[in-house]
Each structure stands twice: as structure tokens, then as C-alpha cells.
């Protein structure tokens, strides 16, 4: 397997994905010995913003979840000791339209998202990729939790079909970069699980890795480096654009055991130029106006609309979960704990979004009841989006003075289980996640793509979902 990974890494360098990797040259090397052997790590101890250039241990699977997670959940399910919410989500996953054993993938030569003029497809067709990526991921999880190789074989068929047929992601506008991110990290997470399946032919694994690096990772890196060229300032694209591409580049780096890719995302999270960087993602910190004693953090998209603000939070939760999974085998690199960064800033960002979007009704779609807080009482720091910036188009800027009280307020997305589980159960914090807990409790079991609460358009596929099944503990 290591030789295969080396081949993929050689290919990555050939296509020049790492132009600009000079930021990785600053390093302080240290070694430690653990059960996996001696590992050479770059370990900036004091300042989370110094350049990280680690060499990592990869105990596959180690993207969203590791083997211990799957073993723990499978044992609970087999013994009947799983909480009822976990059992219910397990049943829901088995009934998902994307886990039917009769599911047939629909690979496309081009994935087109955005203006399709002049493309081979002639129309926007990324929905094929988003559905098939979700199917590959969901069946991969079911294989791990049931041991039924029929799910494994279906997941592999989907992954192989796309690697065999698809040649590029394209459109005549920037929207193709959203497909590169959202579908990239979903495909990569499916493959990360499935590369532990003995029934996936080794040559097919190599081909898949080559494909996802060439087609997806190249787009991810180019976007994060350039943000579509000199016409745009680095802050032109909203945080979710950066975040989905960071997720994809990370997951592909883990899949291919490429330290440079992982390090790039770590460094971008702490000091990147775009809105996926934590300092740009978090705009302001306030005391909770409902006087819980907590602090809440305004998101970069909080003045835009609540659908996108919620997406930003959900994708951030996925990114943090993947980073923390790798951290568990690489604890000498504390920067991998994105959840802890800047005094648990992600927890506080979740609290801001949860507080503003929660209703006091009891339905699990958050559709009934009254808002916990009025828009007038919600603190907001003025946000000047692309005003007096270096963008060549000076007509798109916006001066946001209040939180967005729009029609998408109250949107539900899977991801709250990740945040609640981490801060309440992993970190064992006694407070700080009041509204996150309320949101997680309300929509549990949270499900994912295929759950009617999330619809059938792209919003249902922006995040991986199924966190109740994998994480929930009484």
C-alpha cells in the first residue's frame, strides 16, 4: 500500500499541486516513539499560527471516523445496547434511497456546476456526482457497521465507475469549485473507509486515488491558492467556498497519506488568506444576550442569510471532526485540534447560529414555535463585504449592519451532533454549548442526505451527516 501511495504522491508533484508550498519550509523537528514506531513530527508548541509541517501516522480509516469508532458503534448495535436514537438512525440509514442494494451509479465524463455553456454535458449535471458520492459514503458506513459485503461491493462499484469515466470538473463560472469541494470530500471519505476492504482491487484503489487527486484535489488547491485569479480579493468568496475545498483537500490528503496536503489545510485554517481561515471565519465575540453566561461568535456569513450561515457551521464541524480524528494518533501536533482553537471559537460560533435559528417548538424539523430570540436583540458587528477591496468588480460589495433575518432562518442541517458530542463528551466541558445541545437534541436522529428534512437539492449533500449513529452517547 505504501508503494501505491508513493506513486500517487509522485503524480501529485507531477501535476504541480504544491506550487507555493514554501510555507512548509519553516519547521522544528522532533521525534517520539509510540506503538506505531518512531514518528518524525514538526511540532510548533507555543504558537498555533506558526507553520506546521508534520509527518503523520495514518491508521486507516482516519478521516471522519477511525476504526475504534466503527467497532464501538457496531458492538452497541450487535448487543442491542445502543441508545434508541442510534438504533433509529441506523434503521433510517438502511432505508435511505442511497443505500438500496439496487442503486445504480451514473458517472459523467464532466461534472458541471454553474454555467454549462460549451461543456460536453451541455447542462448542469453535478447532481449525479452528489447523489453517487453520498451513496458511496452511506454504503461504506453500513458495510463497517453490518459486515455485509454487499454494501461494500456497491460502494466500490460507485467509486470505480466515477474513476473510470469522469475526466474533469468544469463550468464557465466559479460554481464548479463548490462541486470540487462538496463532492470531493464525500467521495474521499467513502474511499477512505473502503480502502480497508480486501475486496477492493489494489489497482482500482490506485486508479481511484490518481483520479481524485487529478480531478478534485487540483481544483481544491487552485481555488484556495488563487480564489479564481487576480480579479478577486482573497475575501471575495464566502466562507463555505473555502471550507468545502479545505474539507476535500484534507480528506484526499488523508486518503493518499500526503502530509503536505494535510499541512496545507492546517496552516490555512490558522493563517490562510480566505474566509476559511479562523480569524476571518469568526467576525466578533459577544456575551449571550439571553444571559446564559456564555460567549457567542458571529460567523462570516451571519449577515448574508441563515441557510449559508448554517452551511458554514455544518461544514466547519465536518472539517474539525476530520482533523480531530487524525489528531488522535498524532497528539504531538496540537494544531490538529481545530475544535480547541482560539478558546473553543468553533463552539461559540455554533452557539451564535443555534441561538438565532432555534424555535421553541418540539418538532424535529425546527418548523414550529417561536424564535428563542428576536433579530433586534441579536448582537452583530458591522461587516463590510468586499468594500474598498482589490476586487476589480466594484459593484458586488455589501455593508451588513444586522444579522440576516431572512426566509431561510431556522434551517436545519446535520452537524450539530458533531459539535455537541465533542465539547460535551470528548472534552467534557460543563458549559458553553447550551444552544448547540438544544439543536442537537431537537433534530436527533439527525440523518443526512435522503432524510426528507433536508430536501433533495445541493443543501442536503453539503455535509456528510449521520452523526447521531456514529457519535451519540447518553
Amino acid at each position: 500500500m505504501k508503494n501505491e501511495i508513493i506513486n500517487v504522491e509522485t503524480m501529485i508533484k507531477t501535476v504541480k499541486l504544491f506550487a507555493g508550498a514554501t510555507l512548509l519550509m519553516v519547521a522544528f523537528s522532533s521525534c517520539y516513539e509510540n506503538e506505531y514506531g518512531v514518528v518524525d513530527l514538526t511540532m510548533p508548541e507555543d504558537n498555533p499560527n506558526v507553520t506546521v509541517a508534520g509527518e503523520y501516522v495514518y491508521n486507516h480509516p482516519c478521516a471522519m471516523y477511525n476504526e475504534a469508532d466503527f467497532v464501538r458503534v457496531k458492538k452497541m448495535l450487535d448487543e442491542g445496547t445502543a441508545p434508541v436514537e442510534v438504533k433509529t438512525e441506523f434503521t433510517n440509514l438502511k432505508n435511505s434511497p442511497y443505500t438500496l442494494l439496487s442503486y445504480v451509479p451514473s458517472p459523467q465524463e464532466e461534472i458541471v456546476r454553474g454555467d454549462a455553456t460549451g461543456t460536453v454535458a451541455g447542462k448542469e449535471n453535478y447532481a449525479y456526482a452528489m447523489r453517487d458520492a453520498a451513496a458511496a459514503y452511506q454504503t461504506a458506513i453500513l458495510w463497517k457497521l453490518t459486515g455485509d459485503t454487499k454494501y461494500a461491493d456497491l460502494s466500490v462499484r460507485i467509486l470505480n465507475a466515477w474513476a473510470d469515466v469522469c475526466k474533469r470538473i468544469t463550468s464557465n463560472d466559479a460554481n464548479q469549485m463548490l462541486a470540487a469541494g462538496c463532492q470531493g470530500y464525500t467521495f474521499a471519505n467513502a474511499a477512505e473507509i473502503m480502502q480497508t476492504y480486501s475486496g477492493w482491487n489494489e489497482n482500482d484503489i490506485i486508479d481511484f486515488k490518481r483520479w481524485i487527486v487529478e480531478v478534485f484535489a487540483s481544483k481544491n488547491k487552485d481555488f484556495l491558492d488563487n480564489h479564481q485569479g487576480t480579479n478577486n480579493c482573497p475575501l471575495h468568496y464566502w466562507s463555505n467556498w473555502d471550507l468545502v475545498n479545505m474539507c476535500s483537500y484534507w480528506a484526499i490528503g488523508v486518503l493518499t497519506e500526503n502530509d503536505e496536503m494535510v499541512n496545507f489545510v492546517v496552516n490555512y485554517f490558522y493563517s490562510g488568506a480566505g474566509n476559511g481561515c479562523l480569524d476571518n471565519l469568526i467576525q466578533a465575540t459577544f456575551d449571550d444576550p439571553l444571559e446564559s453566561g456564555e460567549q457567542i461568535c458571529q460567523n462570516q456569513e451571519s449577515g448574508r442569510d441563515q441557510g449559508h450561515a448554517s452551511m458554514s457551521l455544518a461544514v466547519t464541524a465536518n472539517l474539525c471532526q476530520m482533523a480531530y480524528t487524525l489528531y488522535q494518533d498524532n497528539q504531538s501536533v496540537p494544531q490538529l485540534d481545530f475544535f480547541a482553537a482560539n478558546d473553543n471559537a468553533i463552539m461559540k460560533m455554533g452557539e451564535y447560529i443555534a441561538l438565532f435559528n432555534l424555535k421553541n417548538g418540539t418538532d424535529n424539523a425546527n418548523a414550529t414555535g417561536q424564535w428563542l430570540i428576536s433579530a433586534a436583540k441579536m448582537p452583530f458587528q458591522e461587516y463590510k463585504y468586499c468594500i474598498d477591496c482589490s476586487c476589480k468588480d466594484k459593484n458586488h460589495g455589501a455593508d451588513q449592519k444586522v444579522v440576516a433575518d431572512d426566509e431561510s432562518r431556522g434551517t436545519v442541517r446535520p452537524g450539530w451532533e458533531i459539535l455537541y458530542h465533542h465539547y460535551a463528551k470528548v472534552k467534557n466541558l460543563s458549559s458553553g454549548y447550551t444552544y448547540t445541545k438544544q439543536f442537537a437534541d431537537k433534530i436527533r436522529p439527525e440523518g443526512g442526505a435522503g432524510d426528507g428534512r433536508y430536501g433533495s437539492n445541493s443543501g442536503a449533500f453539503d455535509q456528510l451527516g449521520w452523526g447521531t449513529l456514529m457519535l451519540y452517547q447518553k
Side-chain angles (χ1 to χ4, degrees), residues 135-295:
Y137 178 68
Q138 291 182 21
T139 50
I141 291 178
L142 280 182
W143 165 60
K144 292 296 287 185
L145 298 183
T146 66
D148 189 340
T149 59
K150 291 191 291 293
Y151 290 118
D153 292 338
L154 175 53
S155 184
V156 165
R157 281 199 302 276
I158 296 169
L159 299 175
N160 286 345
W162 278 90
D164 289 344
V165 172
C166 183
K167 294 182 173 61
R168 66 191 69 86
I169 303 167
T170 188
S171 70
N172 289 311
D173 60 22
N175 284 285
Q176 60 181 290
M177 297 304 182
L178 291 172
C182 295
Q183 278 63 72
Y185 89 96
T186 309
F187 272 129
N189 268 276
E192 171 61 15
I193 296 170
M194 294 316 304
Q195 73 171 323
T196 66
Y197 176 49
S198 62
W200 195 6
N201 180 276
E202 290 188 5
N203 289 330
D204 288 339
I205 295 175
I206 295 171
D207 288 344
F208 181 87
K209 290 178 179 178
R210 181 179 297 112
W211 170 73
I212 201 166
V213 167
E214 289 179 339
V215 173
F216 286 88
S218 60
K219 290 277 187 182
N220 306 146
K221 182 65 159 50
D222 180 65
F223 180 78
L224 293 168
D225 277 344
N226 303 308
H227 292 98
Q228 295 298 97
T230 57
N231 287 340
N232 303 315
C233 76
L235 300 178
H236 172 73
Y237 289 93
W238 300 97
S239 64
N240 74 86
W241 291 70
D242 268 14
L243 290 163
V244 295
N245 281 282
M246 291 162 71
C247 280
S248 180
Y249 205 62
W250 178 284
I252 296 169
V254 169
L255 174 69
T256 60
E257 296 193 359
N258 193 291
D259 296 339
E260 291 184 54
M261 295 175 72
V262 172
N263 287 325
F264 176 86
V265 179
V266 174
N267 290 304
Y268 197 97
F269 179 77
Y270 289 105
S271 56
N275 285 314
C277 171
L278 186 60
D279 287 343
N280 298 322
L281 178 63
I282 302 294
Q283 286 294 309
T285 301
F286 308 97
D287 291 333
D288 175 13
L290 297 189
E291 299 182 347
S292 66
E294 296 180 2
Q295 288 188 319

Side-chain angles (χ1 to χ4, degrees), residues 84-126:
V84 65
E85 296 88 347
V86 173
K87 294 177 182 177
T88 301
E89 182 147 299
F90 184 50
T91 299
N92 292 347
L93 181 57
K94 288 188 287 186
N95 291 331
S96 166
Y98 305 109
T99 61
L100 298 175
L101 293 174
S102 59
Y103 188 92
V104 178
S106 302
Q108 307 291 305
E109 180 179 341
E110 291 184 336
I111 298 172
V112 182
R113 180 167 184 173
D115 179 2
T117 306
T119 64
V120 172
K123 60 182 179 180
E124 196 173 58
N125 69 354
Y126 72 97

Side-chain angles (χ1 to χ4, degrees), residues 411-446:
T411 293
V412 292
R413 287 179 181 263
W416 295 105
E417 200 76 82
I418 294 172
L419 297 176
Y420 171 66
H421 168 78
H422 185 82
Y423 292 111
K425 304 298 182 179
V426 176
K427 292 293 175 58
N428 290 313
L429 301 183
S430 59
S431 63
Y433 45 82
T434 295
Y435 307 111
T436 294
K437 181 181 187 303
Q438 289 181 33
F439 226 136
D441 288 345
K442 170 173 276 197
I443 69 172
R444 183 181 299 122
E446 69 176 14

Side-chain angles (χ1 to χ4, degrees), residues 373-388:
I373 191 170
S374 68
K377 291 184 178 179
M378 198 68 185
F380 188 86
Q381 177 175 290
E382 181 181 16
Y383 178 60
K384 294 184 177 182
Y385 165 70
C386 275
I387 294 178
D388 297 327

